[in-house]
Amino acid sequence: EAAAGIPDLMQRVLTDEAIRFDVAGARNLICAGEGYAESVGEEGAIKFRETLCRPVTSFETSEFLHGSINSVDADTAVIVVATNALGSHLSDQAVVGAAERGASTVSIGSAESSPAGRHVRLPAAPSHWMPFLAILPLQLAAHDAALVLGLDPDTPRGLSKVTRIQEMSAT
């Protein structure tokens, strides 16, 4: 039953202007998620890398807290995604720690609130279906930032549908 409702929830998320957030001014981007949300963080990082043509890192939230959080500063936007209670708990710790180091912070999830500078609240759904909803704000953020930066989000520089790999020389 939950799967049947996901397309309607996705449409609801896509038409909600409140899910949009701005990362165009951040020189460094970090995406993080725990559990099912880890794949959302990685996919978001890929979308930002491809669309904005800049390095973007993705972490499991607990790994980010382990030490990589020390790499953030005022030029960094940290985007955390949570699909369950543990993910929200870790995300809250991550955004507090990142903000203490000067980073701008965004949290994405169905929690009612977050200590992040910007909280994107998603409709509640079973945690294994949340990635379908949680990726949408990341994709829109990449799209919007590309437009602000004068890039074409529909045809990113250097990206093609086919990857051609040169044959290795026999030596």
Side-chain angles (χ1 to χ4, degrees), residues 76-143:
T76 308
V78 175
I79 305 159
V80 295
V81 182
T83 58
N84 59 27
L86 174 61
S88 292
H89 176 71
L90 293 171
S91 291
D92 287 354
Q93 291 178 55
V95 297
V96 167
E100 288 172 351
R101 290 161 174 84
S104 61
T105 57
V106 177
S107 66
I108 300 171
S110 60
E112 196 168 310
S113 64
S114 165
R118 174 79 171 85
H119 178 54
V120 175
R121 187 168 182 205
L122 300 174
S127 61
H128 59 283
W129 293 113
M130 284 298 290
F132 291 98
L133 305 177
I135 192 61
L136 300 173
L138 291 163
Q139 292 171 331
L140 288 173
H143 174 270

Side-chain angles (χ1 to χ4, degrees), residues 15-34:
T15 57
D16 182 359
E17 285 297 314
I19 70 158
R20 291 185 119 90
F21 61 92
D22 180 22
V23 295
R27 277 196 358 220
N28 306 307
L29 288 163
I30 292 175
C31 298
E34 190 79 19

